[in-house]
Amino acid sequence: MNLIQINAGDTAWVMVSAALVLLMTPALALFYAGMVRSKGVLNMMMMSVLSMGIIAVLWVLYGYSMTFGDSWHGLLGNPFQFAGMRGMAEATVGPEGHQIPAFAFAGFQAAFAIIAVALISGAVADRMKFSAWVAFSVLWATLCYFPAAHWVFAFDGFAAEHGGWIANDVKAFDFAGGTAIHINAGAAALVLAVALGPRIGFRTSPMRPHNLTLVMVGAGLLWFGWFGFNGGSALAANGLAAMVWVNTLVAAGAAMLGWLATERLRDGHATSLGAASGIVAGLVGITPGCSVVTPLGALAIGAITGVCCAWAIGLKYRFGIDDSLDVVGVHLVGGLVGTLAAGLFAKGSLAGGAAGLFYGGGLEQLGRQAVGAVAVLLYSLVVSYLLARLVDATVGLRIDRRAEAAGIDLAEHAESGYDLSRVQYSSYSKSLVVPRPEKSPKEEVEA
C-alpha cells in the first residue's frame, strides 16, 4: 500500500465512524426488543444480530463489488471486480489529499448494508419463521440493497470508473442513505407486513412494549451511532463532517419535540416511546440532506419529519397493516420526507450551486429528489414482493398459530428471554416443565 497517499486523520475518522455505524445494529436490536412483548424479545434481537453475520459474509464475497464495482449502464456494479476483496490491498479511494484505504471505505459501507437489512425486521415481529428471515435477508441484500446502493452511493471515478445512475445522472442528494437504506428497507417492510398478515390479536388485544427501558437505551445508542453514520459519510475529518454532526444533533432533537407535541395535542400526553421514536424519525429525515442544509434547515427538517411520522404510524390501523414496530411509519415516511426536504432546504453554497426551492433554486432539485426516491421505492416494492412470494413458496413465511400464541422465542429458538418462574407451561409443546429442586449448599457438600 502506498502510505504516502493515505491521509491518517481521515482514515482514523472513517474507521471510528464504521465502528459507530456497526454499533447501531445492536442498538437497533435493543430498540426493537423493548417494543415487542416479552415472549418475542430474543427472536427480535436475533434477527438484527443475524444480519451482522449474513451481510458481513456476503459483502466480502460479492456485495462490495456489486455496489462499488465498475457499473453496467449505471444499474449494477461488476460483481467479480472486487469479489473476495480481490485487488483492494493496494487500493485507495477519495480525492487527492484525502485518500483513505479502500478497506476502510469497504468496512464503513459494510455497516450500512448490515443495518439496512436489520431495519426490516421490525415489521415482522412475533410471526416470521427464522428460516424465512435468513432466506429473505440473503436474497434481499443481493437483489435489492446492493443494486440500489450502487445507484445512490457509487460516484464515477471514486471506487471504480463508472458508478450508479442516481448519483451521476439524476444527481439527487442522498448523503448517507435516505433512499438506499431507509426508503428501501421501509418498502420491504411494508411488503412483508402485508404478505405475513397481522399478528393474532392485532387491533383487539393490547400489544404494548414490554420494556421501555430497552427502547430508550436503544434509541440513545442509535443517536450516538448516527454521528458516525452521517458524519463519517464525509469520508474526511473536516469542516463538512463537523457541520453534518451539528445537523444530525439538531434534527433529532427537533423531531423528538415535534413528535411529543403531536402526541400531546392528539392524545393528551407525551410518552417515552414517542420520544424514542421521534429521535429515530429525525435521524432518518436528516440523513439524505445533512451535507447541504444549514443547522436551521436541519431543525426545520427534523420538526417536519417528527410530526409527519407521528401522524403516519396511526395509518396502519386504518388500513389493517400490522407494521409491528412502525418501520414503515418511521423509515419509509421519514426517508421520503427527508429526501424531498433536501430539495427544499438545500443551500446553494453548500450544495455546489444546486439550491433547493426555498433558496431560489426552483423545482429542479426537488424533481431530482423525487425521481431518486420514487425509483428506489418502486424497485424495492416490486423486488421485495417477488422475494416474499419465493420464500413463502419454499420454506414458508409464517410460524403456525399455536407457536405464535405460545411465543416465537420458544417455537423458533427453544429459549425464553426472561426466566420469571421455576414452573413454566408451554402451550406450544403442551408440556408442564417442573425444574428439579436445587440442592442446598449443605446437600451439595454431602453429595
Side-chain angles (χ1 to χ4, degrees), residues 135-226:
F136 184 84
S137 296
V138 172
L139 294 170
W140 188 84
T142 302
L143 299 176
C144 206
Y145 178 78
F146 297 155
H150 176 74
W151 301 351
V152 174
F153 294 144
F155 288 89
D156 289 345
F158 190 76
E161 184 177 356
H162 301 104
W165 67 280
I166 291 179
N168 299 289
D169 299 327
V170 177
K171 296 183 178 359
F173 299 136
D174 191 354
F175 192 66
T179 53
I181 295 177
H182 299 289
I183 292 176
N184 199 3
L190 176 60
V191 168
L192 281 182
V194 173
L196 283 162
R199 289 167 291 178
I200 297 172
F202 177 66
R203 292 199 293 190
T204 59
S205 301
M207 297 182 179
R208 300 185 184 92
H210 89 283
N211 193 328
L212 286 169
T213 304
L214 284 183
V215 175
M216 296 297 283
V217 170
L221 288 174
L222 281 169
W223 197 349
F224 176 69
W226 224 290

Side-chain angles (χ1 to χ4, degrees), residues 74-445:
L75 298 176
L76 187 68
N78 182 350
F80 305 107
Q81 184 174 357
F82 302 117
M85 298 284 152
R86 180 177 58 187
M88 292 183 58
E90 303 294 331
T92 60
V93 298
E96 189 68 30
H98 290 280
Q99 290 186 320
I100 63 174
F103 274 133
F105 177 68
F108 179 64
Q109 285 292 331
F112 278 56
I114 288 168
I115 197 166
V117 175
L119 286 172
I120 302 169
S121 65
V124 303
D126 294 337
R127 62 201 190 279
M128 187 172 186
K129 287 183 178 179
F130 194 62
S131 57
W133 174 250
V134 173
F136 184 84
S137 296
V138 172
L139 294 170
W140 188 84
T142 302
L143 299 176
C144 206
Y145 178 78
F146 297 155
H150 176 74
W151 301 351
V152 174
F153 294 144
F155 288 89
D156 289 345
F158 190 76
E161 184 177 356
H162 301 104
W165 67 280
I166 291 179
N168 299 289
D169 299 327
V170 177
K171 296 183 178 359
F173 299 136
D174 191 354
F175 192 66
T179 53
I181 295 177
H182 299 289
I183 292 176
N184 199 3
L190 176 60
V191 168
L192 281 182
V194 173
L196 283 162
R199 289 167 291 178
I200 297 172
F202 177 66
R203 292 199 293 190
T204 59
S205 301
M207 297 182 179
R208 300 185 184 92
H210 89 283
N211 193 328
L212 286 169
T213 304
L214 284 183
V215 175
M216 296 297 283
V217 170
L221 288 174
L222 281 169
W223 197 349
F224 176 69
W226 224 290
F227 291 114
F229 194 78
N230 286 354
S233 294
L235 300 179
N238 57 15
L240 176 61
M243 183 190 74
V244 167
W245 198 102
V246 173
N247 285 346
T248 302
L249 173 70
V250 70
M256 176 179 63
L257 297 178
W259 189 300
L260 291 177
T262 302
E263 278 190 334
R264 185 71 176 83
L265 293 172
R266 182 186 62 197
D267 308 322
H269 47 260
T271 68
S272 59
L273 180 60
S277 300
I279 289 170
V280 176
L283 294 168
V284 172
I286 196 56
T287 291
C290 56
S291 65
V292 296
V293 303
T294 66
L296 287 178
L299 189 157
I301 291 174
I304 293 169
T305 306
V307 172
C308 289
C309 290
W311 171 80
I313 62 169
L315 295 178
K316 66 182 182 182
Y317 298 105
R318 181 177 300 177
F319 294 110
I321 298 173
D322 187 8
D323 171 24
S324 310
L325 308 185
D326 301 316
V327 183
V328 178
V330 173
H331 293 277
L332 178 56
V333 173
L336 287 169
V337 170
T339 299
L340 295 176
L344 300 174
F345 291 96
K347 188 174 181 179
S349 59
L350 300 174
L357 178 64
F358 296 161
Y359 283 85
L363 295 173
E364 181 179 359
Q365 190 59 44
L366 182 60
R368 295 177 186 273
Q369 299 301 114
V371 169
V374 171
V376 173
L377 172 62
L378 293 179
Y379 179 76
S380 185
L381 287 172
V382 172
V383 174
S384 299
Y385 170 77
L386 295 175
L387 295 180
R389 291 292 300 271
L390 175 62
V391 173
D392 193 30
T394 51
V395 300
L397 279 176
R398 184 164 180 161
I399 61 176
D400 63 55
R401 293 180 64 87
R402 190 160 52 94
E404 184 178 342
I408 194 169
D409 285 353
L410 287 173
E412 292 291 287
H413 308 292
E415 296 175 306
S416 177
Y418 303 98
D419 185 9
L420 302 178
S421 172
R422 298 184 63 216
V423 178
Q424 297 178 340
Y425 179 76
S426 170
S427 59
Y428 177 67
S429 61
K430 294 185 177 180
S431 61
L432 185 64
V433 180
V434 184
R436 294 177 62 186
E438 295 179 0
K439 294 181 180 180
S440 68
K442 180 180 179 181
E443 290 173 328
E444 288 285 355
V445 171

